[in-house]
Amino acid sequence: MKMKMMLGVLLSLVISSSAIAVEGFRESGSGREAGNGGDPVEQSFAISATMAFEFLEEKKDLFPTLNLERVKATLDARLEATDEILYGKNGGEKTAINIPEKRLIRINRKRWDAIKNVRKEMAQSLHEHLGLSGDEVNNYNVTSKLFRLSSEEI
């Protein structure tokens, strides 16, 4: 009887401490519940950005003044998928926003998942990385030309 009671207390302590640790991780500012890039939206965004950068490298003659190494260096920026509504500088709702001083790109899960066109995903993710590199701030000059999309389509 004492053994069962002790096992019950021990099990309760393990469950409680695990729950506290998980909650602490969520509140730590990591932005990832799974951690280590395990979020499917973050993974999809990263893959789209890599594909877009490779396409940009193939078409580099279109952008002779663009420093591709500077853009490439942003591909390891921290990604943070969120359910929070994201707003741009003009107050409009955005799919993603970049925060250069933190080397961070925040992505709204619902809006990202709503994009059903690979070309638009690539344009959106590249635009955010170009924002981090300082090459596309408050405009879509590179991405609209590269993907033949208007700024409204991105």
Side-chain angles (χ1 to χ4, degrees), residues 115-147:
I115 301 173
K116 302 299 180 198
N117 179 304
V118 173
R119 193 170 61 145
K120 289 181 181 180
E121 287 178 345
M122 289 170 61
Q124 176 70 60
S125 59
L126 182 62
H127 169 71
E128 298 307 330
H129 284 280
L130 287 166
L132 286 180
S133 70
D135 292 297
E136 205 169 73
V137 178
N138 299 323
N139 67 64
Y140 295 88
N141 296 339
V142 175
T143 50
S144 61
K145 184 175 181 179
L146 183 63
F147 295 101

Side-chain angles (χ1 to χ4, degrees), residues 51-69:
M51 289 175 14
F53 180 76
E54 289 170 359
F55 186 57
L56 178 61
E57 283 184 310
E58 291 173 19
K59 303 290 184 182
K60 65 184 174 193
D61 293 342
L62 294 173
F63 311 99
T65 61
L66 188 62
N67 182 332
L68 291 179
E69 288 305 311

